[in-house]
Amino acid sequence: MKKRLGVNIDHVATLRNARGEKHPDPYTVALEVLKSGADSITVHLREDRRHIKDIDLKILSSNKIIPINLEIASDSTMVKIALKYKPSFICLVPEKRDEITTEGGLNLKKNRNKIKKILDVFNRNNIRTSLFINPSMQDIKLSKILGSKCIEIHTGKISNQIKQNKNYLKEFNKIKKCVSYAKNIGLEVHAGHGMDYKTTKILNKIKQIEEFNIGHFIIGESVSHGISKVVKKFINILR
Ligand code: PXP
């Protein structure tokens, strides 16, 4: 099975917004990402629009060839926006105003009615929709009951353990068991959050994970390793 890579470009917008101007441009980066072989672009339209803005989504969606995975909170305004732009994929995520990033999976038990209704709407519109959940058997079972065809496992905990050189085996086995169960009941499984090269290598051993969605590390590495090319360009101009 060919593993798919989705690249989250939220932090290209974070950099752009730091100056309030137009550079770097998420659309240009999205095209580069796809040209390099990635399968999709992820953007999270947050309530506070701290990185990706509505205009970014409009521009990205205007190019019908870009496979967009839109992350949104389970909120009726966001559902309306999603239906307006009809991205290829949607991922429902929890959202808290003062969190730095998406800190955990959805609380399916608490929000089951709301999430079911949203899933029904997107299923009717043939938009592949995944639920961002913690690696928990209960949440996987509930995802299926609510009508989801896809889940994305939050890999924040294992990613931190790996980065901090802690023992990650227990968490790895938990994720592996969850993935296997999810596949058995007919769900497609994705993974995302906090991944770097090492985490991805380790999680890629779980063969049934079909898609990895990675953001912050890719943008960070692009700065670290892309800077040399840009500095050389300036030296060429100056000397
Ligand atoms: N998947 C989902 C559902 C996310 O919300 C995010 C961003 O929080 C990611 C993947 C990517 O996480 P990161 O930027 O840590 O790679």
Side-chain angles (χ1 to χ4, degrees), residues 8 10 42-58 68-75 77-82 85 91 93-95:
N8 181 316
D10 288 347
T42 296
V43 287
H44 182 176
L45 190 69
R46 281 184 171 266
E47 186 199 23
D48 63 8
R49 309 297 198 270
R50 68 172 79 147
H51 36 60
I52 291 296
K53 316 267 185 207
D54 300 61
I55 184 73
D56 294 315
L57 184 58
K58 186 176 175 188
I68 300 170
N69 176 34
L70 176 65
E71 289 179 10
I72 51 167
S74 312
D75 163 271
T77 309
M78 285 298 163
V79 172
K80 270 190 207 140
I81 295 174
Y85 293 111
C91 182
V93 298
E95 196 175 298

Side-chain angles (χ1 to χ4, degrees), residues 20-37:
E21 292 171 15
K22 290 192 171 165
H23 187 268
D25 171 31
Y27 180 75
T28 307
V29 173
L31 296 181
E32 281 298 306
V33 163
L34 294 174
K35 213 165 82 185
S36 310

Side-chain angles (χ1 to χ4, degrees), residues 106 108 133-143 151-154 171 174-175 177-179 181-182 187:
L106 291 160
L108 295 185
I133 58 170
N134 292 320
S136 130
M137 298 296 241
Q138 228 182 5
D139 284 346
I140 290 169
K141 207 181 285 178
L142 201 44
S143 298
I151 53 163
E152 179 163 330
I153 304 262
H154 193 297
E171 185 68 11
K174 186 167 140 193
I175 295 175
K177 219 169 123 191
C178 283
V179 173
Y181 175 63
L187 292 168

Side-chain angles (χ1 to χ4, degrees), residues 8 71 91 93 101-102 132 152 192-195 213-216:
N8 181 316
E71 289 179 10
C91 182
V93 298
T101 179
T102 314
F132 194 36
E152 179 163 330
H193 206 278
M195 278 192 247
N213 288 306
I214 307 174
H216 187 268

Side-chain angles (χ1 to χ4, degrees), residues 196-218:
D196 60 9
Y197 297 128
K198 196 173 169 191
T199 321
T200 305
K201 217 178 242 179
I202 290 167
L203 284 163
N204 195 35
K205 289 183 186 144
I206 305 175
K207 295 295 171 211
Q208 291 156 312
I209 301 176
E210 295 184 33
E211 182 177 307
F212 290 84
N213 288 306
I214 307 174
H216 187 268
F217 185 78
I218 292 182

